[in-house]
Amino acid sequence: MVTDREIERAVAVLRAGGLVAFPTETVYGLGADASNPPAVRKLFEAKGRPATHPVIVHLADAVQLANWAREIPASAQRLARKFWPGPLTLILRRVSNVSDLVTGGQETVAVRVPSNPVAQQLLARFGGGVAAPSANRHGRVSATTAGHVRREFGTAVDCVLDGGEAQVGIESAIVDLSGISPVLLRPGSITAAEIEAVLGVSLTAPAGDAPRAPGTLAAHYAPQTPLMLVEDKRVLEHAASLLRQGKRVAVLALSAHRPVLQGLEWIAAPRDAAGYAHELYASLRRLDELGCDAILVERPPQAPAWAAINDRLARAATGSPVPDEP
Ligand code: TXA
Ligand code: MG
């Protein structure tokens, strides 16, 4: 539970140019006053994020859009009406006074109205835009609890609002509406089909030179332990082979059938996409902390409902060594 006094204190911290970690329905955000460049700079330093990577401006409601974006297309209004407050980020042309720190020097700005009640209270009481990347160090797994945030940042964050577990568990879908046709920059819990149904046109995939988005860099959302995606039927075989080599193995499985093998750690993930997403980052953190030699993830179904999950898992696996064939 977050009290009124805590919200007030968080607002005071934002006004003073400090950093506030807060829950959203997707993941925790690390927030700073988006209109205060030194505060945003502090945010980048705490995250260890390159200054050229833009951040999302969080707003209490769509009415404030005009303070941040111009030439807002009808498609943006339609998406906002349908999905805000909620886990959707829109890329729009920015008004000229938005700080280059927020936009990474681009002509566009990312905006989102989150639905989490604590985020809503914070934003409404603050009244302005809160620049907030996910509350994790650059390139690492996003935080879905206040405990994750504290472990990740310690005293580098002035205030952590504890709103319990983030409900969705993976970051918002990002749709770029600044160009001729809408582009899905990052898949999320709102599926491409749901967005297309509102737009009435197909989303295109990002071009290679699309706006810089660290969440779209190949290696991202990664635990420290090498992570490998393994086809469902081969997980056990693969784990056994590594165990024979004297390795300790952590498995994120879809099967609740937990084999008893020395040196094997096993988390059975929910078999529905929403449940899986909700637990994904907490499970990856838990498996990572065990300090095993490898994390094997049983590859989820390739169905559209799993697109955002498969996207994050593929990025978490990038940079990890290719698994030896058992
Ligand atoms: O669910 C979320 O979106 C969470 C919560 C806290 O709201 N935030 C989040 O922020 O995931 P972050 O910074 O980890 O990822 C935001 C993504 C980045 O990939 C960033 O580059 C991209 O949005 N982005 C921000 N502004 C952009 C812009 N003007 N053009 C293209 N991409 C942009
Ligand atoms: Mg992030």
Side-chain angles (χ1 to χ4, degrees), residues 34 49 54-59 65 68-69 84 88-94 98 102-104 106-113 129-132 172-178 185-186 211-213:
R49 178 150 164 169
V55 286
I56 299 171
V57 177
H58 295 69
L59 304 171
L65 258 188
W68 301 91
W84 283 355
L88 176 71
T89 296
L90 300 179
I91 308 290
L92 301 167
R93 288 168 192 250
R94 67 159 170 178
V98 183
V102 169
T103 66
Q106 301 181 75
E107 280 310 305
T108 55
V109 62
V111 281
R112 167 163 123 76
V113 176
V130 171
S172 60
I174 304 181
V175 179
D176 186 351
L177 296 172
S178 69
L185 290 183
R186 183 173 71 185
R212 292 169 294 237

Side-chain angles (χ1 to χ4, degrees), residues 5-325:
R5 282 191 56 173
E6 286 176 276
I7 297 283
E8 261 162 45
R9 186 170 162 259
V11 168
V13 168
L14 288 175
R15 296 224 165 101
L19 302 183
V20 173
F22 63 98
T24 83
E25 67 279 19
T26 56
V27 297
Y28 272 69
L30 183 61
D33 178 355
S35 305
N36 179 344
V40 179
R41 200 167 294 124
K42 208 159 133 190
L43 187 65
F44 277 80
E45 274 161 23
K47 231 187 114 83
R49 178 150 164 169
T52 49
H53 290 170
V55 286
I56 299 171
V57 177
H58 295 69
L59 304 171
D61 53 58
V63 177
Q64 293 179 44
L65 258 188
N67 298 336
W68 301 91
R70 64 185 166 90
E71 297 166 44
I72 300 165
S75 56
Q77 307 285 9
R78 279 205 301 279
L79 287 177
R81 257 200 307 278
K82 172 80 178 173
F83 296 114
W84 283 355
L88 176 71
T89 296
L90 300 179
I91 308 290
L92 301 167
R93 288 168 192 250
R94 67 159 170 178
V95 296
S96 58
N97 59 346
V98 183
S99 163
D100 279 342
L101 282 168
V102 169
T103 66
Q106 301 181 75
E107 280 310 305
T108 55
V109 62
V111 281
R112 167 163 123 76
V113 176
S115 64
N116 178 285
V118 175
Q120 272 288 326
Q121 282 175 62
L122 177 72
L123 293 165
R125 200 80 69 84
F126 178 63
V130 171
S134 51
N136 53 279
R137 293 197 187 265
H138 184 62
R140 312 231 61 92
V141 177
S142 296
T144 52
T145 69
H148 295 162
V149 179
R150 290 200 192 94
R151 252 172 284 160
E152 192 107 1
F153 291 103
T155 55
V157 176
D158 302 299
C159 170
V160 180
L161 294 173
D162 187 346
E165 290 178 9
Q167 180 201 342
V168 175
I170 55 173
E171 305 78 1
S172 60
I174 304 181
V175 179
D176 186 351
L177 296 172
S178 69
I180 295 162
S181 49
V183 183
L184 183 62
L185 290 183
R186 183 173 71 185
S189 57
I190 298 174
T191 64
E194 288 172 307
I195 296 166
E196 286 169 340
V198 174
L199 291 175
V201 293
S202 298
L203 291 163
T204 51
D209 61 353
R212 292 169 294 237
T216 65
L217 290 179
H220 219 81
Y221 311 106
Q224 251 129 359
T225 314
L227 181 149
M228 302 157 202
L229 272 164
V230 184
E231 300 312 321
D232 50 355
K233 292 183 187 65
R234 309 203 62 182
V235 171
L236 204 51
E237 198 184 338
H238 202 107
S241 148
L242 290 171
L243 291 170
R244 276 196 302 275
Q245 297 166 37
K247 303 240 159 72
R248 287 181 59 229
V249 183
V251 174
L252 182 59
L254 280 160
S255 158
H257 203 79
R258 175 192 301 267
V260 185
L261 288 169
Q262 183 72 32
L264 182 67
E265 306 285 348
W266 186 278
I267 291 182
R271 298 178 66 87
D272 66 295
Y276 192 101
H278 174 74
E279 289 183 15
L280 175 60
Y281 290 145
S283 298
L284 288 182
R285 279 173 184 266
R286 203 134 46 88
L287 293 175
D288 203 17
E289 279 160 14
L290 295 170
C292 290
D293 298 289
I295 298 173
L296 302 186
V297 177
E298 179 176 343
R299 195 186 291 282
Q302 292 301 301
W306 292 81
I309 291 163
N310 284 318
D311 169 77
R312 305 306 190 275
L313 286 175
R315 292 177 203 287
T318 303
S320 288
V322 177
D324 300 325
E325 284 300 309

